[in-house]
Structures are given as structure tokens and as C-alpha cells.
Amino acid sequence: MAATRILIVDDHPLFREALKHAVSGGVDNARVSLAGSLGQATALLDEDDDFDLILLDLRMPGVQGLSGLIYLRAQYPNVPVAVITAADDPGLVQKALNLNACGFIPKTAGIDTIVGAVNALLKGDIWVPEGSAQSSAAGKEGEEIARRVATLTAQQIRVLMMLKEGLLNKQIAYELNVSEATIKAHVSAILQKLNVSSRTQAVIAAARIDGVAAAEH
């Protein structure tokens, strides 16, 4: 019987290990890998992306909010990603689903609930907490932005994340080991896909669907 491969991406060692223990004990033939940052996760996935599920925290070094989800879904579209977080923004569940998350698991849920959610996700179900707020009129604009961001390529997502960090085209080109002209082309494509006219507006648009309460942990 082939192992069920699960990748836990969370920067808190105690929670990471506790979740690994719970999943290993509650999922048949589970083989659990751990990453403490988005960079570690992508390094593992670049070597071998044959995972059945990724459980992704939303606040880690180098990534805040939904940027990590957006990037993983763009870079590894065949690997299901579920959010597991302590953030309690009522609109976050719908935002994550709009960005193609397969589920949303609160860290405050009991172990039995978390394990049950993971098993449901592995069966191909969409799992969210009972009573999760559905999209409201007030959140429609944010949902539209989320859908537009989801159309960006993996490289465009990386560029957008770096724009949010305040990096210049030249700095982004250096980090990604490409020409400045390539970065300019990516920025132009980002502006077009997000339907905005400036880098600043693109960053603001991304921030609107990327916000996570500071007290997440």
C-alpha cells in the first residue's frame, strides 16, 4: 500500500511536531514531512512534489497571509493545499477557497476534528469549519481581487511578493537571476491581470486579500 504523503508547513516547532504526531496516528499509512518556512517547503517540493496534501500555516518568515497559498497553488497546481491557521478573520475562509485552497482548518480545533478534516481532504472533500461565514456583499470586491491574483503565474506571484516587500525591479531581477527587462514584463502582466495601473495599486490589491490578523499565533 502506497504511503499517504503529507507536508506540514509551519514555523512553530511545537505545533509542527504535535500536528505530525496527530496526523501520523490518525491517517492510515501516513508519511509526514515537515517544513518551517515557505522556502524549506519549496525546496522539498522542487525535489519531489508527489504529495497528497500540504497543510499550510499563513504566517511564517518571508510570507504573511495568503501569499504562501497563492504561490504554492501556482507553482505546484497538482498538490492540494489546505490552510491551517489560528487567524479568525471571518472572511478568510472564503478568500482561501477562492484561491483554490482545498480546506481551512482552525488551529483551535480539537485533535479529533483536525484529523477528521485531514482524512476528509485526502478523500477529495472540501473541508471548512461548521458555520463558516459565506461570502458577503462587503467581501465581493476582495473575492474578485483574489480570483484575479489566482490567474498569475508562479513567477509573477514571486515578483508580486517582492513588490510587497518594497524591492525595486533591479533588486528583484538579482534575486530571481533574470534580466531587469524580464521583471518589467512580469510587472506589466501583473498590472494587466489585476486591472490596476501602478505598482502601488497592485501591492494594495494583493494586501486586501492577503491580510491576516497580527495575533494569528
Side-chain angles (χ1 to χ4, degrees), residues 10 15 19 55-58 82-86 105-107 114:
D10 193 294
F15 180 81
L19 184 57
L55 298 174
L56 175 70
D57 189 19
L58 293 184
V83 168
I84 183 161
T85 180
I105 307 173
K107 284 186 175 180
I114 292 175

Side-chain angles (χ1 to χ4, degrees), residues 62-73:
V63 61
Q64 302 294 326
L66 292 163
S67 293
L69 170 63
I70 296 167
Y71 180 75
L72 290 177
R73 292 302 298 134

Side-chain angles (χ1 to χ4, degrees), residues 117-190:
V118 170
N119 277 306
L121 293 168
L122 289 168
K123 292 177 184 176
D125 296 337
I126 301 293
W127 196 96
V128 297
E130 287 187 18
S132 294
Q134 296 300 310
S135 56
S136 63
K140 291 293 184 184
E141 187 177 355
E143 291 173 24
E144 177 59 28
I145 294 170
R147 280 188 282 269
R148 289 177 180 172
V149 170
T151 68
L152 300 179
T153 66
Q155 191 77 325
Q156 288 164 0
I157 292 295
R158 292 183 72 184
V159 171
L160 182 57
M161 290 168 68
M162 291 179 177
L163 290 178
K164 287 178 61 184
E165 294 172 8
L167 298 184
L168 302 174
N169 285 357
K170 180 194 240 181
Q171 294 170 307
I172 298 173
Y174 176 80
E175 291 291 333
L176 299 182
N177 195 29
V178 297
S179 71
E180 192 170 349
T182 297
I183 298 305
K184 288 180 179 178
H186 282 317
V187 172
S188 294
I190 290 167

